[in-house]
Amino acid sequence: MSSPAERYAAARARAAAERTELARFARGLPFELDDFQTDACRALEAGNGVLVAAPTGAGKTVVGEFAVHLALRQGVKAFYTTPIKALSNQKFHDLVAEHGADRVGLLTGDTTVNGEAPVVVMTTEVLRNMLYAGSRTLDDLEYVVMDEVHYLADRFRGPVWEEVILHLPARVQIVSLSATVSNAEELGDWLTEVRGDTTVVVSEIRPVPLWQHVLGADGLFDLYAGHVDPTDPGVDPPINPDLVVALRRSSRAGPQPWREHGGRARHGGRSGGRAGRGGAPQDRPRPRRLPRSAVVEVLDRAALLPAIFFVFSRAGCDAAVAHCVRSGMRLTTPAEQEAIRALVAERASAIPRSDLGVLGFWEWSQALERGVAAHHAGLLPVFKETVEELFSRGLVKIVFATETLALGINMPARSVVLDTLTKWDGSAHVDLTPGEYTQLTGRAGRRGIDVEGHAVVVEHGHLDPVALAGLASRRTYPLRSSFRPTYNMAVNLVAQVGRARAREVLEQSFAQFQADRAVVGLARQARTHAEALAGYAEAMTCHLGDFAEYAELRRALSARERDLNRESSRRRRASARAELAGVRRGDVLEIPAGRRAGHAVVLDPGTDGFDGPEPTVLTQEGKVRTLRAADLGAGIRTVARMRVPAHFAPRNPRARNDLAASLRSALADPKRRVERAPTAPDRSAAQDDATIAELRRRLRSHPCHGCSEREDHARWAERHHRLEQEHAALVRRIEGRTSSIARVFDTVCDVLGSAGYLAPGTGEGELRVTEPGQTLRRLYAENDLLVAQCLRHGAWDGLDAAQLAAVVAAVVFEARRDDVGEPPALPGGPRLARAVDETVRWWSRLTDLEEQHRLSATRPLDLGLVAAMYRWAAGKSLGTVLTDTDLAAGDFVRWAKQVVDLLDQVAQAAGSQATRSTARRAVEQVRRGVVAYSGA
């Protein structure tokens, strides 16, 4: 029992806690804060930065919302950043609902709403651009929430996150929200180093427990054995024996029709596991994959809907929806169908009726009314947003999705289904990693709605449940930086802080931090080497002289002898090849040494192999052998001739014995011998080599040669030499990692200097940004330097708006596959063709320059969007635009928005007033119709 003093202290602490901003914030929430949320919010209120790593759906964003609350209470600004526009739009609407439209703004590159509000939601790229531009909007900024901060591992978007973290003013508190990663502490250590005190809060507890299942022809089974706690299965958890039996039966049965099983499987259903990648022998009959409509029906009967069904293929998603519709599936009530029709009509009202057919609107809306939808990047953004809202409202019951759905959008479900455990990574089919499996299945279980979530893996033929359990039970998802200096980053850093300071800034990146962390272990090993080398050096010390010098002479002598032996061996091999090339059928060969030593008769001169001719011979013992130059040692000599029967059968033992007897007779008959001039005995090349003679003379005259412990010293010297070589290689590895980011920055600066964007500055080693470099500072595209070169040299001058939009599309676009075929013929007349040709030429010159400096080359141009973008900017209908292209409507809209983004930059950066005006007109002509009203 506590003392009065302790009770009094506790009462005072509670009273103090009630007066905090956290208490005020918590009173306005409809739920109790979890411990990890409380810990993170307290650290934030105390003035620390915060890194929160927790599972999907755990409520990390509450910490970000508390930062917004603090900013509004203190009268300062808060920025809420997200990696993609769709997330920014979603968060903007959430915050407007909470704080009012007058206090919340939105900046996403192509959308500006109340940009000077105290709380602004934006994409991370927008904040990076504001930092480089020195925007006044940054005044009074005190809090920045970086949602989905694990995106810094993304190859394309990742570097932007590190740029923002490194360049934000020191006064700004950063709230970093991340999915569960296995090196959160490492990320927190880096944030502390570059931003000051940062509290790391990690929670691995899912707010809704996740159960793992396998669905096969025999029903729905738990993955784990009954006594395993699925929320903490441990290492190598035992597998449900009923599942093992069912999978074995399925594997033996081969192709079979789908047998429906109503309701949740008789074996129950909960657990946590990883889907198996292993396989049984490929010659077994492969069980037929369960139809997706049947999978949905089982989930429906088991009350496991709504569900997200990950398929990993756009075509697969669309085909699954079509299959469900054809099967007559209907998962909605009449009232739900009416609500769906109303929302669809509202969202589609802005789409021209003439475009509805090409967009697949009628098929899409029919599937929605049945409670079935697809979700992937090929869908029109307004279609995706409609699916997201209907699913969130519980009106759509099953969504067939690609993995992009797992990366951000808030669409929790009761269940997540995986169709397969492999995916196409752009070059090959690869297994899902434990981190990817955790990310995908993290959508299962809606907080406040579901008591438990469910991950279901569909049995896809020879599923290995042990591998699946390993996948599901592991929590390895390390975050690896993808940071790299870009041309735009280089000119902006040089302009703001100079080259020397820029190198220091880049050496603070998370990429360099991780590289340096790796160097720590290597450096420890190098220190161990150094200590051992000192011991070896002492052990080989000779009182008569410098034994290291003597050992070096011995090594030089050995190396020279090895070189001469190799040269001698090479000459012998060449001679043997020449001799083999001259043999004929019936020649009796003498092989003085080597693996085939003895006599043999040539059966077949053979053809050239890897190391010259390879004749087939019969030995005196009656064995058929193949002669190769490598087997001959001292070469061969033809010593006799004999007749080989024309139809000799080498596989016939009697024929072989008879010919071997004839061979022995030929060797004994002097008349059949072939006389050859006697060859001089081999003389070692070392005997006549002046270098070896000199080395031996120096060795014998060295003081250490007469030491009684010479061989003992030599053994220590050899150990010292081997370790010294290993140590030198280790040091080179350390040097290769240390300051690696800064060295890449130096190379980028060298390229920019050669191209005229940077020039020598006033201080030693310093640089200054030239006038063309100032243009480059305002270009943030992936191909930033190529765009700058085209603008600087007038490659895009004289174009009209549609032509400029088309040539910009050539710089922006990158096809999803390498085999999309030839791009259609270019419209737009000779001016557009010349502009595209000039752009390609400047790309070629730029890649030549990059190769000269050993820098990764700018990616090749893809002309696949040029014709479609020209037609769109010229006012053609969507159906006309997409004719003769492989583009889905959603892909076209997404690329069109990127074209608009770059055209906006060209309108600001181009040196020609006419080009700036044309770019502004092009923006208006591209930003129309489906492009204008699509939010993502």
Side-chain angles (χ1 to χ4, degrees):
M1 190 170 177
S2 59
S3 67
E6 289 172 331
R7 291 197 297 274
Y8 175 72
R12 290 200 57 172
R14 284 194 299 272
E18 285 299 312
R19 293 192 296 270
T20 63
E21 284 300 329
L22 176 57
R24 182 191 296 270
F25 174 72
R27 283 195 292 270
L29 297 175
F31 53 85
E32 290 286 326
L33 289 175
D34 291 337
D35 289 345
F36 85 91
Q37 294 168 328
T38 301
D39 293 343
C41 289
R42 282 176 178 163
L44 188 61
E45 188 171 2
N48 290 351
V50 178
L51 167 63
V52 184
T56 301
K60 298 182 292 288
T61 56
V62 167
V63 184
E65 289 162 4
F66 180 58
V68 170
H69 169 88
L70 288 176
L72 292 174
R73 292 286 297 172
Q74 296 167 11
V76 296
K77 284 185 177 180
F79 287 173
Y80 199 112
T81 70
T82 72
I84 55 178
K85 294 176 183 178
L87 271 177
S88 293
N89 294 334
Q90 190 175 70
K91 199 64 200 178
F92 169 69
H93 293 302
D94 291 346
L95 291 176
V96 165
E98 178 67 25
H99 301 291
D102 60 322
R103 305 173 85 185
V104 182
L106 176 66
L107 296 173
T108 60
D110 61 349
T111 303
T112 300
V113 178
N114 199 15
E116 295 300 324
V119 178
V120 183
V121 184
M122 63 185 66
T123 52
T124 319
E125 284 87 351
V126 169
L127 178 54
R128 185 273 311 272
N129 299 351
M130 290 168 64
L131 287 166
Y132 281 150
S135 172
R136 302 293 299 178
T137 305
L138 297 169
D139 293 349
D140 300 324
L141 178 64
E142 296 291 336
Y143 297 93
V144 169
V145 180
M146 305 195 76
D147 203 353
E148 309 283 348
V149 77
H150 51 273
Y151 260 77
L152 65 79
D154 183 85
R155 184 165 65 95
F156 300 108
R157 297 190 180 99
V160 177
W161 295 79
E162 293 190 44
E163 288 180 84
V164 168
I165 291 169
L166 291 172
H167 297 312
L168 277 171
R171 69 175 188 275
V172 175
Q173 286 178 251
I174 296 180
V175 180
S176 304
L177 308 178
S178 171
T180 304
V181 293
S182 53
N183 60 336
E185 290 77 9
E186 180 184 42
L187 178 59
D189 289 346
W190 172 68
L191 287 169
T192 296
E193 184 169 296
V194 299
R195 301 294 313 172
D197 290 341
T198 301
T199 300
V200 179
V201 179
V202 178
S203 174
E204 296 187 358
I205 301 172
R206 285 180 50 94
V208 179
L210 181 65
W211 306 89
Q212 306 277 346
H213 313 284
V214 173
L215 175 60
D218 287 339
L220 187 66
F221 294 85
D222 290 346
L223 174 61
Y224 300 134
H227 64 278
V228 175
D229 178 2
T231 63
D232 187 18
V235 180
D236 298 327
I239 304 302
N240 179 0
D242 293 330
L243 171 62
V244 175
V245 171
L247 291 175
R248 194 174 295 139
R249 185 188 307 119
S250 174
S251 181
R252 285 198 301 265
Q256 58 186 343
W258 164 248
R259 302 195 302 275
E260 292 191 7
H261 291 263
R264 195 158 174 168
R266 59 186 181 276
H267 309 290
R270 325 179 219 276
S271 272
R274 184 310 149 98
R277 287 83 69 85
Q282 294 302 306
D283 55 353
R284 289 187 186 178
R286 188 177 182 84
R288 199 168 85 185
R289 185 184 293 272
L290 305 182
R292 288 164 179 153
S293 59
V295 173
V296 176
E297 288 170 5
V298 171
L299 296 174
D300 188 26
R301 293 193 184 100
L304 296 182
L305 297 180
I308 298 172
F309 198 135
F310 286 108
V311 178
F312 302 125
S313 156
R314 295 182 183 185
C317 292
D318 294 337
V321 171
H323 177 76
C324 289
V325 171
R326 284 197 306 271
S327 72
M329 180 178 295
R330 190 175 294 279
L331 304 173
T332 52
T333 66
E336 289 173 331
Q337 293 166 30
E338 187 59 38
I340 291 170
R341 278 193 290 269
L343 182 63
V344 168
E346 176 190 334
R347 292 297 183 88
S349 60
I351 303 176
R353 193 170 182 82
S354 59
D355 287 342
L356 293 180
V358 72
L359 293 173
F361 171 82
W362 308 111
E363 297 86 350
W364 171 74
S365 58
Q366 180 190 11
L368 284 180
E369 289 183 27
R370 294 170 178 264
V372 182
H375 190 289
H376 54 71
L379 285 177
L380 201 65
V382 69
F383 284 12
K384 284 196 297 182
E385 293 162 8
T386 304
V387 170
E388 290 159 11
E389 182 169 345
L390 290 172
F391 190 81
S392 300
R393 290 168 55 180
L395 297 174
V396 165
K397 314 298 183 181
I398 183 76
V399 171
F400 294 94
T402 56
E403 65 177 318
T404 54
L405 183 78
L407 302 176
I409 297 299
N410 182 26
M411 279 181 63
R414 178 167 297 166
S415 305
V416 164
V417 184
L418 295 182
D419 192 52
T420 179
L421 295 169
T422 61
K423 67 171 186 174
W424 179 256
D425 71 349
S427 58
H429 284 95
V430 297
D431 292 334
L432 292 180
T433 66
E436 289 168 334
Y437 184 86
T438 300
Q439 188 91 12
L440 294 168
T441 57
R443 294 280 169 198
R446 297 164 296 176
R447 186 169 189 173
I449 301 174
D450 298 320
V451 176
E452 58 194 27
H454 302 270
V456 180
V457 175
V458 180
E459 201 276 315
H460 50 270
H462 311 306
L463 174 71
D464 181 353
V466 176
L468 172 57
L471 185 63
S473 58
R474 289 171 61 198
R475 293 292 179 264
T476 54
Y477 183 39
L479 199 60
R480 295 283 176 255
S481 171
S482 59
F483 184 80
R484 66 195 184 284
T486 64
Y487 296 119
N488 171 274
M489 185 193 304
V491 291
N492 272 299
L493 284 174
V494 169
Q496 289 185 334
V497 298
R499 180 178 189 168
R501 174 62 183 144
R503 293 182 94 259
E504 294 174 8
V505 169
L506 294 176
E507 293 207 332
Q508 292 180 311
S509 68
F510 188 45
Q512 190 61 59
F513 183 83
Q514 288 188 311
D516 292 344
R517 279 273 176 107
V519 164
V520 170
L522 297 178
R524 189 181 302 115
Q525 189 177 351
R527 284 195 299 272
T528 303
H529 282 180
E531 293 169 2
L533 285 170
Y536 291 169
E538 184 177 351
M540 72 179 188
T541 301
C542 178
H543 67 288
L544 296 177
D546 184 351
F547 201 88
E549 183 181 71
Y550 181 74
E552 181 59 35
L553 285 173
R554 286 174 62 130
R555 282 193 295 274
L557 178 59
S558 297
R560 180 61 179 170
E561 289 173 339
R562 282 195 302 273
D563 289 344
L564 290 175
N565 285 338
R566 278 195 292 268
E567 178 61 24
S568 177
S569 176
R570 188 192 64 77
R571 285 198 302 269
R572 284 197 301 270
R573 182 80 63 87
S575 174
R577 283 196 294 268
E579 291 168 345
L580 288 176
V583 302
R584 296 172 298 164
R585 182 181 173 91
D587 283 353
V588 177
L589 307 178
E590 180 185 41
I591 307 168
R595 292 177 58 203
R596 305 299 188 206
H599 291 85
V601 60
V602 177
L603 304 177
D604 182 355
T607 57
D608 277 356
F610 179 74
D611 195 24
E614 297 180 349
T616 302
V617 299
L618 181 79
T619 68
Q620 288 174 281
E621 294 78 22
K623 295 181 179 180
V624 177
R625 295 285 186 261
T626 299
L627 290 185
R628 297 180 178 86
D631 301 330
L632 298 183
I636 58 171
R637 288 188 299 148
T638 301
V639 296
R641 290 277 304 159
M642 61 178 285
R643 178 179 171 276
V644 177
H647 300 294
F648 174 73
R651 293 181 179 275
N652 187 318
R654 182 173 179 178
R656 290 200 306 270
N657 291 335
D658 289 347
L659 190 60
S662 299
L663 170 62
R664 290 190 291 270
S665 299
L667 289 170
D669 186 355
K671 296 179 181 179
R672 297 160 74 177
R673 304 281 295 195
V674 176
E675 295 299 327
R676 293 285 183 92
T679 57
D682 280 349
R683 179 178 175 83
S684 169
Q687 293 177 279
D688 300 321
D689 186 71
T691 302
I692 283 185
E694 173 61 18
L695 286 170
R696 286 174 175 166
R697 184 194 66 77
R698 291 174 60 190
L699 201 65
R700 286 191 293 269
S701 64
H702 196 282
C704 293
H705 191 66
C707 179
S708 59
E709 298 180 356
R710 182 183 67 196
E711 294 309 310
D712 190 38
H713 293 330
R715 283 191 291 275
W716 285 109
E718 182 58 27
R719 293 173 188 170
H720 184 280
H721 176 67
R722 286 199 299 268
L723 185 60
E724 194 171 45
Q725 288 183 313
E726 186 180 335
H727 181 68
L730 189 63
V731 169
R732 285 194 296 273
R733 285 177 63 193
I734 292 172
E735 290 173 346
R737 295 190 180 191
T738 305
S739 301
S740 55
I741 301 296
R743 285 200 300 275
V744 174
F745 171 74
D746 289 340
T747 306
V748 168
C749 289
D750 290 344
V751 171
L752 290 170
S754 299
Y757 291 85
L758 293 175
T762 53
E764 183 179 352
E766 274 299 343
L767 297 169
R768 63 177 177 83
V769 179
T770 62
E771 185 176 346
Q774 296 296 338
T775 298
L776 179 57
R777 290 187 65 189
R778 297 191 289 274
L779 297 171
Y780 300 99
E782 182 184 354
N783 289 339
D784 46 11
L785 185 54
L786 174 60
V787 175
Q789 289 284 72
C790 290
L791 292 177
R792 177 184 176 188
H793 296 283
W796 298 349
D797 289 351
L799 299 176
D800 63 27
Q803 292 167 341
L804 181 58
V807 76
V808 163
V811 176
V812 168
F813 182 65
E814 186 174 10
R816 293 178 62 231
R817 301 179 183 86
D818 294 333
D819 56 348
V820 294
E822 290 295 318
L826 296 181
R831 279 195 300 176
L832 176 56
R834 279 196 301 271
V836 171
D837 286 344
E838 274 294 293
T839 304
V840 172
R841 275 195 288 272
W842 279 112
W843 169 81
S844 179
R845 294 167 188 157
L846 176 56
T847 55
D848 288 345
L849 183 60
E850 289 167 329
E851 287 173 8
Q852 290 172 19
H853 289 83
R854 298 183 179 180
L855 193 67
S856 297
T858 299
R859 68 167 176 82
L861 298 181
D862 190 325
L863 307 184
L865 186 64
V866 172
M869 190 55 60
Y870 175 82
R871 294 191 187 102
W872 179 256
K876 301 296 184 183
S877 69
L878 187 62
T880 303
V881 166
L882 296 182
T883 302
D884 300 327
T885 75
D886 294 317
L887 285 171
D891 287 326
F892 175 76
V893 170
R894 181 164 50 87
W895 288 115
K897 285 180 168 292
Q898 293 192 35
V899 168
V900 167
D901 284 346
L902 184 50
L903 285 169
D904 269 330
Q905 296 170 33
V906 170
Q908 299 295 322
S912 162
Q913 177 61 46
T915 301
R916 290 200 299 271
S917 299
T918 303
R920 284 191 286 271
R921 288 196 302 276
V923 167
E924 296 305 316
Q925 290 177 213
V926 175
R927 190 188 283 152
R928 66 179 180 87
V930 292
V931 176
Y933 61 70
S934 294

